[in-house]
Amino acid sequence: MTENEANSPVTAEEFNELLRVRREKMAALQERGIEPFGHRFDMTHHLQDVVESFSDLEGQAVKVAGRIMAIRGHGKTSFVDIIDLSGRLQSYFRKDVIGDDGYETFRLLDIGDILGIEGIVFKTKTGEVSIKVSSFVLLSKSLRPLPEKWHGLKDVELRYRQRYVDLIVNPEVRQNFVLRSNIIKSLRCFLDDRGFLEVETPMMHPIAGGAAARPFITHHNALDMKLYMRIAPELYLKRLIVGGLEKVYELGRVFRNEGISIKHNPEFTMVEIYQAYADYQDLMQLTEQAIAKIAMDVLGTTKITYQGQEIDLTPPWTRMTMSEAILKYSGIDFAQVENIEQAREIAKKLHVDFNKQDGIGKILNNVFEEICEKNLIQPTFIIGHPKEISPLAKSNKDNPEITDRFEAFIFAREMANGFSELNDPIDQKERFIKQVAERESGDDEAHMMDEDYVTALEYGLPPTGGLGIGIDRLVMLLTDSASIRDVILFPHMRQRD
RNA sequence: GAUCCACUAGCUCAGUAGGUAGAGCACCUGACUUUUAAUCAGGGUGUCGAUGGUUCGAGUCCAUCGUGGAUCACCA
């Protein structure tokens, strides 16, 4: 049935049998004076509490609420499974307890209906903790049938489009999203404990900066101006460090107008963290400590299994420069490269693509991505990124062609990216100018000029370490989810019709 | 954007060689006062993703389109 039909006052004949029967039952309940959509209910326990506290609760009256997931009828008695967020509990309806009238009402209930139940806690002869219903109240009539009880909802398209159904029938999906919430809670706790200040900066930017990505474009009517949905909060957060806030973080959504895949959603959640007077080494430590602490909080261990692969998140993680990684996985020493011809030669030899205008740094990065990334299963910090691909990172003191930057890889995926922030306004302006030139020569992911950001740096940005962690990918890792869509409640889908 | 795969009842799936559309669960009728995938007897509830085409005849073959998935490209 289409949404149109669901919202229009159709006659019963237009529904299929399953929908029609439920509406007829709703009407029958109303005829018996029962309101099919209730108001509130005071429960004394969640369902799992009843099971866990059975020895204390046996023989006592409790009030619980939940959704009917199974009905096993036996004539004048019935066993009814109900679920809430905490778990499942069996309830036992008896005609001689709730009366003829109550039992007639009970028989108008369906799988999917939401009930409030008052009854006595007991154990059945097969040993299952149950509640003998002394009274019940319909809290919400369900007008649509739920998917099958033991296969659940498998169709991934329906699972994403109708996540509410997915959440009802697939308990592990519910658990994953509870875990996601716990991960974020744990991260906040970690940062708050270390004196970081949580801040909120604009999501709509006049200039999209802080990352290399194509932005979504929107428009403000009253100001009649073009605005970009933010691709990163970075430049605003560093303005706050200029302003003296010292240790800040922002946890929130960013938007990138790019392809959708198992690892990419157009909007995703990241945390960016900035710490004045720190450098990339400090932030590397912070990264491994944060992720290990989160894993400990939500899973109770730093040794996890992702897609069948054992991964040990215990710090310290391996540290390796980009060139070292290339040497390790290809046997070629890229650090010896002195000119662009040599770099191109290596790329050709390793069958790595590059563009004519790419410099040594970009080719180095291409080679790394092509040859090394797939090998970085255990947590690994890659450091020594070329300046060419790091327009916001501070150059290394000893080798100005590379930056004091790191990326954390786990299971061949970039999980975090951080660096000592470039705080030299003159250097920053030059790098912006280079980015603008790249933009003009067709790279629509290159940075735009942000004059105000340069002005902020001119007031003085203390030496600062910065870090971004992709929360969705972290949640994927800790929930053993193969697709980012499994950790985003409502992943983006093409509109139907 | 490219390639491959999928789309059949509310859900999970079968459908042989092109010949009247199937099963389990759910649902409906009846029996049943401790079941738990309850059981027993009976009932099939359908725009086979859409539109064309081939054919006496299409769920099945062909074409186009739609939606989704996987891989690739882009990216985090």
Side-chain angles (χ1 to χ4, degrees):
Chain A
M1 190 171 70
T2 68
E3 196 177 288
N4 218 10
E5 286 166 12
N7 293 336
S8 61
V10 286
T11 57
E13 291 75 25
E14 290 177 65
F15 290 118
N16 74 33
E17 190 201 345
L18 295 173
L19 299 179
R20 197 187 66 239
V21 163
R22 286 184 177 229
R23 284 184 195 242
E24 286 167 2
K25 286 181 180 174
M26 177 176 71
L29 286 163
Q30 282 168 316
E31 274 167 33
R32 298 173 71 83
I34 290 162
E35 168 58 52
F37 303 102
H39 295 274
R40 70 186 303 280
F41 185 78
D42 283 314
M43 66 183 83
T44 59
H45 297 78
H46 273 102
L47 301 178
Q48 193 59 36
D49 300 340
V50 175
V51 175
E52 280 167 12
S53 309
F54 173 73
S55 52
D56 296 330
L57 292 174
E58 185 174 15
Q60 290 188 36
V62 294
K63 289 168 99 176
V64 295
R67 188 185 294 273
I68 298 176
M69 293 305 282
I71 301 174
R72 294 178 291 281
H74 295 264
K76 295 179 183 65
T77 70
S78 294
F79 291 92
V80 175
D81 292 343
I82 56 175
I83 60 161
D84 67 9
L85 183 58
S86 74
R88 187 195 75 96
L89 182 68
Q90 177 172 268
S91 60
Y92 184 40
F93 288 74
R94 290 177 63 101
K95 193 174 189 175
D96 61 3
V97 176
I98 59 175
D100 291 0
D101 192 53
Y103 207 74
E104 280 306 302
T105 300
F106 163 75
R107 288 166 69 92
L108 291 169
L109 300 182
D110 283 301
I111 290 171
D113 290 357
I114 296 170
L115 286 188
I117 286 174
E118 181 162 12
I120 307 297
V121 177
F122 77 110
K123 220 173 227 183
T124 63
K125 71 180 183 189
T126 52
E128 176 155 351
V129 175
S130 304
I131 173 167
K132 189 178 287 178
V133 178
S134 39
S135 67
F136 66 95
V137 54
L138 178 60
L139 298 177
S140 199
K141 182 72 191 155
S142 174
L143 297 177
R144 287 174 183 269
L146 286 174
E148 208 211 332
K149 62 184 160 195
W150 63 82
H151 292 104
L153 184 65
K154 285 232 170 76
D155 184 317
V156 287
E157 184 175 355
L158 285 179
R159 286 186 44 226
Y160 300 148
R161 287 191 192 275
Q162 295 186 284
R163 182 67 91 181
Y164 39 90
V165 180
D166 190 30
L167 288 165
I168 291 169
V169 301
N170 295 325
E172 68 284 1
V173 174
R174 238 168 15 234
Q175 279 319 304
N176 278 350
F177 286 105
V178 170
L179 199 69
R180 179 179 175 123
S181 173
N182 290 339
I183 287 166
I184 289 169
K185 213 175 288 173
S186 168
L187 174 63
R188 275 211 168 90
C189 184
F190 176 91
L191 293 168
D192 294 344
D193 281 353
R194 279 159 183 75
F196 284 88
L197 190 69
E198 181 168 10
V199 296
E200 293 166 281
T201 63
M203 290 214 187
M204 294 188 293
H205 292 181
I207 295 164
R214 282 205 303 263
F216 287 94
I217 301 171
T218 185
H219 182 262
H220 190 284
N221 288 344
L223 297 175
D224 188 25
M225 70 186 284
K226 184 154 110 174
L227 285 168
Y228 301 95
M229 303 299 291
R230 71 175 176 194
I231 55 176
E234 171 150 353
L235 301 183
Y236 283 95
L237 293 174
K238 282 189 277 191
R239 285 171 168 97
L240 298 180
I241 300 294
V242 169
L245 297 188
E246 290 193 5
K247 294 167 93 175
V248 299
Y249 72 96
E250 179 159 10
L251 180 56
R253 216 70 60 81
V254 296
F255 309 86
R256 297 189 184 176
N257 205 342
E258 279 151 5
I260 294 177
S261 82
I262 202 169
K263 290 180 283 184
H264 301 88
N265 194 61
E267 53 181 305
F268 63 102
T269 301
M270 64 184 294
V271 64
E272 284 201 10
I273 302 163
Y274 292 87
Q275 181 174 352
Y277 311 111
D279 69 1
Y280 76 115
Q281 293 283 352
D282 300 313
L283 275 283
M284 257 193 282
Q285 271 183 35
L286 189 81
T287 304
E288 60 192 2
Q289 282 168 9
I291 290 177
K293 194 257 186 189
I294 290 166
M296 210 58 184
D297 279 357
V298 303
L299 299 174
T301 175
T302 52
K303 294 183 169 62
I304 62 163
T305 302
Y306 183 72
Q307 306 293 294
Q309 180 85 45
E310 303 284 325
I311 291 174
D312 188 354
L313 300 171
T314 314
W317 299 351
T318 304
R319 283 144 167 84
M320 215 188 285
T321 68
M322 235 182 215
S323 303
E324 284 165 0
I326 291 171
L327 185 60
K328 177 169 179 184
Y329 294 110
S330 75
I332 292 172
D333 191 356
F334 209 102
Q336 299 300 314
V337 168
E338 283 174 347
N339 54 54
I340 186 76
E341 285 74 26
Q342 290 171 343
R344 286 176 182 162
E345 213 165 284
I346 290 172
K348 276 181 198 156
K349 193 169 161 192
L350 296 172
H351 308 288
V352 174
D353 290 340
F354 57 89
N355 294 318
K356 269 182 208 155
Q357 69 271 24
D358 288 351
I360 298 173
K362 248 190 190 151
I363 294 174
L364 169 63
N365 188 53
N366 286 357
V367 169
F368 166 76
E369 286 181 356
E370 200 68 38
I371 304 298
C372 306
E373 264 190 29
K374 57 177 181 282
N375 297 300
L376 305 178
I377 302 300
Q378 295 303 319
T380 307
F381 286 116
I382 294 297
I383 58 177
H385 295 67
K387 186 173 166 181
E388 197 179 337
I389 59 158
S390 315
L392 300 165
K394 203 171 172 70
S395 295
N396 183 270
K397 241 190 272 180
D398 303 320
N399 179 358
E401 282 314 304
I402 63 167
T403 54
D404 285 342
R405 176 179 173 187
F406 67 91
E407 286 181 297
F409 288 90
I410 304 175
F411 199 75
R413 287 176 191 160
E414 187 190 337
M415 299 290 301
N417 178 22
F419 37 86
S420 298
E421 303 297 333
L422 177 59
N423 60 345
D424 174 344
I426 294 148
D427 188 353
Q428 181 67 72
K429 180 144 194 182
E430 281 170 7
R431 295 204 206 179
F432 271 146
I433 287 168
K434 257 187 204 159
Q435 289 284 311
V436 169
E438 284 185 31
R439 205 179 168 74
E440 279 162 4
S441 69
D443 182 359
D444 52 6
E445 286 173 6
H447 268 83
M448 307 176 195
M449 173 60 70
D450 191 335
E451 295 280 4
D452 180 71
Y453 177 68
V454 175
T455 301
L457 294 188
E458 285 171 358
Y459 280 93
L461 173 69
T464 297
L467 164 67
I469 301 174
I471 297 299
D472 310 275
R473 289 189 179 175
L474 180 61
V475 177
M476 285 170 71
L477 186 74
L478 297 179
T479 57
D480 194 14
S481 298
S483 171
I484 197 169
R485 295 183 199 93
D486 292 326
V487 299
I488 291 175
L489 282 164
F490 298 101
H492 279 286
M493 307 278 275
R494 207 178 287 272
Q495 200 160 21
R496 270 190 161 163
D497 304 325

